[in-house]
């Protein structure tokens, strides 16, 4: 296939490396407005071609697909032009900067029968897939709540707040593992440096089945923390993505309430302090899985695991969180629940919609 990667800044080169190494790719074109970034790509991978204006790519014959890793607000206009031309499109997270623009791309991809995939990278990690298995096997019991912390110092983004920057990963992990999407969110935060751009925020996701998830994001923290805690009635799980080994720990800990008691004096919680277990997880590069999956979906006409609807679900949560931030944490309903519910089918393999829709 002939593929183009648009945006070779911080993240784009990781995508370029994986697509260059794929035996499914015969030609790769790198595109960026910044000539220095193109020179760097050409130095690293002499076989790639380079272009500075993405509009020129629209004229390239036999181009199969584009991979977009530009700033978030440019995702929609760029992707729209390529989908309209009948190209397959991969977009880095978050899919777009608003629900309406995300839905427009989803519908366009359906109409043109092209693959639209979003870079929810964590859905391709061995750790998150292990956690999904553990939750689905009932090892943790009934899930009570989830708590995620994704904080570090910087990088301040000029045009999007910390929720749009960091929370897409947490939200996609939560929805992927729980197979549920929230009905409303509350978000509170503060813009300390740039007016209107919150640099710290805590978002609460409220699910219909009673589960609650807390997501804390910050660009103003001395430590890099990437931790997800899932608390169930039987066990508790901690996923620490910064840990080089033993990323997942399952704690056989819990609280038990006595089934019968007559008086308040008899009522006592009992706490269980059991073993801690760290399951083995495979070692592979998630981005390689993700990029190969995109190419396979194009070749075989399949719907990706992180398809346009998956991107739309995350964007709808981000948009509601941003609205809530401006209203001091007031609960905001998720937009488009009916559309999301219609497409939120499960064939037993994650969120795959319908295979072979072409
Ligand atoms: N999956 C992940 O873990 C992950 C990690 C980091 C970033 N991202 C996502 O990747 C995307 C890019 O983020 P980044 O941190 O690399 O940003 P960046 O600012 O470092 O890079 C963006 C690049 O796009 C180029 N660009 C901008 N407009 C362009 C246009 N019209 N045509 C061609 N090139 C253009 C810029 O010159 C720049 O080199 C964002 O959507 C971000 O959320 C994903």
């Amino acid at each position: 296939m002939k593929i183009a990667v648009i945006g070779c800044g911080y993240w784009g080169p990781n995508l370029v490396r994986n697509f260059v190494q794929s035996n499914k790719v015969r030609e790769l074109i790198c595109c960026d407005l910044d000539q220095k970034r193109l020179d760097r790509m050409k130095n690293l991978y002499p076989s790639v071609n380079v272009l500075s204006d993405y509009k020129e790519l629209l004229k390239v014959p036999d181009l199969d697909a584009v991979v977009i890793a530009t700033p978030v607000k440019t995702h929609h206009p760029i992707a729209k032009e390529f989908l309209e031309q009948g190209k397959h499109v991969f977009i880095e997270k978050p899919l777009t900067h608003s629900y309406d623009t995300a839905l427009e791309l989803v519908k366009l991809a359906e109409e043109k029968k092209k693959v639209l995939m979003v870079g929810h990278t964590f859905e391709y990690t061995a750790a998150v897939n292990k956690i999904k298995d553990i939750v689905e096997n009932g090892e943790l019991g009934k899930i009570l709540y989830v708590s995620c912390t994704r904080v570090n110092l910087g990088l301040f983004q000029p045009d999007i707040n910390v929720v749009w920057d960091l929370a897409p990963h947490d939200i996609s992990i939560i929805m992927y593992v729980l197979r549920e999407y929230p009905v409303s969110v509350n978000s509170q935060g503060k813009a300390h440096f740039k007016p209107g751009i919150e640099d710290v925020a805590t978002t609460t996701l409220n699910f219909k089945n009673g589960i609650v998830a807390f997501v804390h994001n910050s660009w103003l923290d001395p430590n890099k923390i990437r931790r997800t805690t899932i608390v169930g009635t039987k066990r508790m799980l901690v996923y620490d993505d910064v840990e080089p080994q033993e990323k997942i720990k399952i704690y056989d800990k819990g609280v038990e309430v006595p089934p019968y008691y007559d008086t308040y004096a008899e009522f006592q919680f009992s706490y269980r302090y059991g073993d801690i277990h760290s399951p083995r997880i495979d070692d592979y590069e998630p981005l390689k899985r993700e990029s190969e999956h995109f190419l396979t979906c194009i070749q075989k006409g399949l719907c990706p695991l992180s398809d346009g609807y998956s991107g739309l679900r995350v964007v709808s949560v981000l948009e509601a969180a941003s609205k809530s931030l401006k209203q001091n944490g007031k609960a905001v309903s998720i937009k488009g629940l009916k559309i999301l519910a219609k497409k939120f089918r499960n064939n037993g393999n994650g969120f795959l919609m319908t295979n072979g829709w072409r």
Side-chain angles (χ1 to χ4, degrees):
M1 278 174 266
K2 199 193 254 193
I3 307 283
V5 176
I6 309 174
C8 302
Y10 161 67
W11 193 247
N14 295 321
L15 294 159
V16 170
R17 174 171 48 79
N18 279 288
F19 283 109
V20 161
Q21 286 170 356
S22 171
N23 57 17
K24 295 188 175 80
V25 173
R26 79 182 138 81
E27 194 179 328
L28 191 102
I29 305 170
C30 293
C31 176
D32 201 294
L33 294 172
D34 186 338
Q35 187 57 43
K36 277 196 243 113
R37 298 202 150 148
L38 292 180
D39 293 343
R40 183 164 169 256
M41 289 298 100
K42 193 81 192 150
N43 268 339
L44 285 169
Y45 311 105
S47 67
V48 303
N49 290 314
V50 295
L51 267 180
S52 59
D53 183 358
Y54 81 83
K55 302 250 179 208
E56 291 295 314
L57 276 176
L58 294 160
K59 299 179 200 154
V60 170
D62 314 329
L63 185 70
D64 293 289
V66 291
V67 175
I68 301 171
T70 54
V72 178
K73 286 192 177 153
T74 65
H75 290 180
H76 168 259
I78 298 177
K80 192 177 166 191
E81 287 192 66
F82 286 96
L83 282 171
E84 274 168 348
Q85 271 225 344
K87 307 295 177 200
H88 303 284
V89 175
F90 173 101
I91 308 181
E92 255 315 323
K93 62 81 196 165
L95 186 65
T96 66
H97 62 284
S98 70
Y99 176 86
D100 291 343
T101 51
L103 185 60
E104 190 187 357
L105 295 188
V106 168
K107 291 199 161 156
L108 192 53
E110 276 186 346
E111 188 192 306
K112 297 280 182 184
K113 300 206 182 309
K114 294 293 155 199
V115 173
L116 174 62
M117 176 164 159
V118 62
H120 291 165
T121 319
F122 281 85
E123 293 177 28
Y124 298 87
T125 62
V128 169
N129 280 288
K130 186 74 178 180
I131 295 168
K132 188 172 167 63
D133 287 346
I134 291 166
V135 168
E136 283 171 6
N137 291 341
E139 256 184 76
L140 306 184
K142 183 174 169 285
I143 303 304
L144 300 176
Y145 81 92
V146 180
S147 171
C148 304
T149 304
R150 190 173 298 269
V151 299
N152 38 255
L153 191 60
L155 295 169
F156 276 71
Q157 301 291 322
D159 57 342
I160 50 167
N161 67 27
V162 73
V163 178
W164 281 88
D165 184 36
L166 298 181
H169 288 314
D170 301 306
I171 297 166
S172 74
I173 292 171
I174 293 167
M175 295 202 290
Y176 181 62
V177 168
L178 298 182
R179 296 190 185 190
E180 291 281 347
Y181 53 90
V183 287
S184 70
V185 300
N186 307 74
S187 189
Q188 282 188 295
K190 199 137 191 203
H192 293 96
F193 289 94
K194 209 165 167 208
I197 302 212
E198 290 80 6
D199 41 54
V200 57
T202 298
T203 306
T204 306
L205 281 62
N206 307 298
F207 293 84
K208 208 156 73 182
N209 59 8
I211 296 179
V212 64
F214 308 103
V215 178
H216 180 61
N217 301 117
S218 175
W219 291 323
L220 268 182
D221 197 283
N223 295 309
K224 178 174 173 171
I225 305 174
R226 267 94 179 98
R227 197 168 46 230
T228 302
T229 304
I230 306 179
V231 173
T233 49
K234 288 190 194 156
R235 291 186 188 84
M236 303 175 178
L237 180 149
V238 176
Y239 162 39
D240 186 346
D241 194 50
V242 177
E243 272 282 322
Q245 284 165 349
E246 302 187 350
K247 284 185 187 293
I248 301 173
K249 290 201 179 90
I250 301 168
Y251 294 77
D252 189 9
K253 289 186 177 186
V255 182
E256 271 138 37
V257 180
Y260 308 106
Y261 55 93
D262 291 331
T263 63
Y264 182 73
E266 280 177 39
F267 174 86
Q268 261 191 355
F269 285 125
S270 67
Y271 300 97
R272 191 164 31 79
Y273 299 97
D275 292 339
I276 303 168
H277 162 66
S278 181
R280 196 191 72 80
I281 45 177
D282 296 336
D283 191 18
Y284 62 79
E285 185 181 359
L287 258 191
K288 188 173 171 61
R289 279 274 161 105
E290 191 184 60
S291 47
E292 283 297 315
H293 182 58
F294 176 57
L295 298 171
T296 304
C297 288
I298 295 173
Q299 279 183 332
K300 299 193 174 167
L302 297 177
C303 179
L305 182 66
S306 51
D307 66 347
Y309 282 97
S310 171
L312 182 66
R313 279 191 281 275
V314 169
V315 167
S316 67
V317 175
L318 295 170
E319 190 171 88
S322 273
K323 278 190 191 151
S324 176
L325 273 173
K326 302 296 177 217
Q327 299 174 47
N328 289 322
K330 200 178 143 209
V332 174
S333 302
I334 301 296
K335 197 170 172 182
L337 280 177
K338 272 194 186 153
I339 293 176
L340 298 179
K342 207 171 106 197
K343 292 290 176 185
F344 199 76
R345 274 186 257 140
N346 194 337
N347 69 356
N349 186 15
F351 288 152
L352 279 173
M353 265 180 4
T354 43
N355 280 350
W357 44 264
R358 271 213 302 199

